[in-house]
Amino acid sequence: MSVVMRKPTDLQSVDPEVAELIARDRDRHSRTLNFIASENYASQAVLDCLASHLNVKYAEGYPRARYYQGVGLVDDIEQLAIDRAKQLFGAEHANVQAYSGSPANMAVYFALLKPGDTVLGMDLSQGGHLTHGSPVSFSGQFYNFVHYGVDPHSEWLDYDALADLAQQHRPRLIVAGASAYSRIIDWRRVREIADSVDARFMADIAHIAGLIAAGVHPSPVPFADVVTTTTHKSLRGPRGAMILCKQALARDIDRTVFPGIQGGPHLASVAAKAVCFHEAMQPEFRTYQQQVVDNASALAEGLMRGGLQIVSGGTDNHLLVVKLLDRGYSGRTLARALESAGIITSMSTVPGETRKPAVTSGVRFGTPAITTRGANTSHMQRVAQIVSTVAEDPADELAVSRLRAEVEAIAGELSAV
Ligand code: DSN
């Protein structure tokens, strides 16, 4: 039997068990509402690249400097991805080989730091990321991370406290960026703080890269030495990541990605990144990202009208975190009840957290995926009413199952997945 160039339909005949699981999960997406802030539905053009024959190719190295033959055309593909990334974000240099966000951040730390160096990063429980120095991550184990956070009253980033910490600890690097922070980040201010202590500045824009590409969130590229991002969240591309940096750091960053950390680039994913960057340059991408922000804002307002507290009192970007410190149940309890109603979210720690990370006192909602399916602000108002009703008593299984019909009705008005 030939194994070359299988057609997509082969899956059903080769492995009906996996085919059925995939089909059922796709149906699950279509029948529910996906509010996971880090997920998005990439275009068929992006998915076509991922399913292409490029999966076969080894091309360790960089365009025109490889350790393998047969690379002429994949060189062109990677160069296209690099050129488009630089154009899209106005960057001096782009590395598009990073497999995902964590290895991208690892590459930057390995390139810029020595083990034990002091770094400032946002606290995980206040919206930061595992790779911003959590003790359970390599980042917190290899480096001396000191954490900054939000003002306990406003729950907005406290730049004065960050500046004080920088003076006190004299970090070699300041990392800005978050996984669960709903306000605009003042990159210029972070640059000034970094300069005041002669530190480098890395912006991790994994969550907001699409907003930045579309101009609905300010860009850190003019201010940061290095910018890392995944490509699959608001940017709506393939699973993967990239690193943007000043030309002066290009060689160190590239050598740390390969051969420092990674082996051969995943060229199907690199091609998909090139397509994603092309899509992000189109006028409709800006319209989409503005709708993402409008939807998050409408959802936050609806939830607050429904009696729920939102961390920082609202949102300026694609996500919001519902704060349950005033309730007798956890984030996990609400997220599970919402899933029963067909609303898919993720639990989240909140400022002033009192529960464990696997329980939490918050639920994070993001609007990139649902907006890709065509949701608008009136859908968000209906969702806010449903969430507020579930939040009144997440243990009321009968009420939750009744709401499921309303969720399926909304899902039926949106594009299928
Ligand atoms: N775990 C991702 C998120 O959901 O934000 C970030 O890596």
Side-chain angles (χ1 to χ4, degrees), residues 37-43 46 84-85 88-89 205-214 228-238 240-242 244 272-281 285 288-289 292 318 368-369 372:
S38 47
E39 295 185 3
N40 209 340
Y41 300 110
S43 69
V46 165
R84 287 177 179 174
L88 181 62
F89 288 96
I205 60 167
H207 263 264
I208 53 176
L211 281 63
I212 290 168
T228 61
T229 184
T230 51
T231 47
H232 50 272
K233 298 188 175 89
S234 59
L235 197 50
R236 207 164 63 178
M242 72 170 161
L244 307 171
K273 288 173 195 176
V275 173
C276 152
F277 302 148
H278 172 74
E279 291 176 344
M281 288 178 208
F285 191 74
Y288 159 69
Q289 295 292 348
V292 166
H318 66 300
T372 294

Side-chain angles (χ1 to χ4, degrees), residues 7 21 28-29 68 95 113 144 149 151 154 161 182 220 244-245 256 276 285 327 344 349 360 394:
K7 293 193 271 313
L21 289 169
R28 173 189 74 80
H29 275 275
Y68 290 76
N95 182 305
L113 303 170
N144 174 37
D151 175 87
S154 69
S182 63
L244 307 171
C245 65
T256 310
C276 152
F285 191 74
R327 308 266 164 154
I344 311 301
T349 52
T360 78

Side-chain angles (χ1 to χ4, degrees), residues 28-333:
R28 173 189 74 80
H29 275 275
S30 289
R31 291 160 59 106
T32 56
L33 303 176
N34 183 357
F35 282 94
I36 293 181
S38 47
E39 295 185 3
N40 209 340
Y41 300 110
S43 69
Q44 190 58 48
V46 165
L47 299 181
D48 285 348
C49 294
L50 296 178
S52 74
H53 79 285
L54 291 171
N55 186 60
V56 71
K57 192 73 196 101
Y58 254 107
E60 286 177 358
Y62 289 97
R64 317 299 167 212
R66 305 283 194 185
Y67 291 85
Y68 290 76
Q69 298 309 118
V71 291
L73 294 169
V74 295
D75 274 3
D76 291 349
I77 290 170
E78 184 169 343
Q79 193 59 53
L80 200 53
I82 290 168
D83 293 343
R84 287 177 179 174
K86 287 163 62 178
Q87 185 187 343
L88 181 62
F89 288 96
E92 292 178 17
H93 178 74
N95 182 305
V96 297
Q97 292 193 3
Y99 296 150
S100 204
S102 295
N105 288 352
M106 177 184 268
V108 175
Y109 301 157
F110 279 16
L112 302 187
L113 303 170
K114 291 193 297 298
D117 275 350
T118 297
V119 187
L120 293 191
M122 191 169 179
D123 195 282
L124 179 63
S125 72
Q126 300 190 28
H129 187 254
L130 278 170
T131 58
H132 298 181
S134 164
V136 296
S137 148
F138 77 92
S139 56
Q141 291 162 16
F142 289 8
Y143 306 105
N144 174 37
F145 264 85
V146 176
H147 287 112
Y148 60 87
V150 297
D151 175 87
H153 301 293
S154 69
E155 298 178 329
W156 290 49
L157 255 176
D158 188 341
Y159 296 96
D160 291 337
L162 170 55
D164 289 345
L165 278 179
Q167 290 299 331
Q168 196 182 331
H169 294 279
R170 313 293 299 188
R172 186 170 288 270
L173 177 71
I174 298 180
V175 177
S179 289
Y181 182 67
S182 63
R183 297 300 181 177
I184 301 288
I185 298 178
D186 185 346
W187 308 116
R188 182 188 296 275
R189 184 79 202 278
V190 180
R191 175 78 265 172
E192 287 166 1
I193 295 168
D195 284 344
S196 75
V197 292
D198 205 18
R200 285 219 165 98
F201 166 24
M202 175 186 120
D204 178 344
I205 60 167
H207 263 264
I208 53 176
L211 281 63
I212 290 168
V216 302
H217 186 294
S219 171
V221 171
F223 304 107
D225 298 288
V226 188
V227 176
T228 61
T229 184
T230 51
T231 47
H232 50 272
K233 298 188 175 89
S234 59
L235 197 50
R236 207 164 63 178
R239 294 301 292 237
M242 72 170 161
I243 304 170
L244 307 171
C245 65
K246 303 294 184 203
Q247 193 59 43
L249 293 173
R251 188 176 149 83
D252 286 347
I253 293 290
D254 283 353
R255 285 168 62 90
T256 310
V257 172
F258 172 84
I261 294 174
Q262 298 187 171
H266 295 176
L267 289 155
S269 177
V270 168
K273 288 173 195 176
V275 173
C276 152
F277 302 148
H278 172 74
E279 291 176 344
M281 288 178 208
Q282 306 312 310
E284 51 270 29
F285 191 74
R286 187 188 162 88
T287 311
Y288 159 69
Q289 295 292 348
Q290 187 59 54
Q291 190 66 54
V292 166
V293 172
D294 291 348
N295 282 348
S297 178
L299 183 61
E301 280 162 25
L303 292 172
M304 287 188 286
R305 270 199 305 277
L308 285 159
Q309 291 184 356
I310 307 294
V311 173
S312 85
T315 178
D316 300 320
N317 63 20
H318 66 300
L319 67 77
L320 60 95
V321 179
V322 170
K323 187 168 63 169
L324 302 166
L325 290 171
D326 62 334
R327 308 266 164 154
Y329 56 81
S330 68
R332 183 173 66 183
T333 296

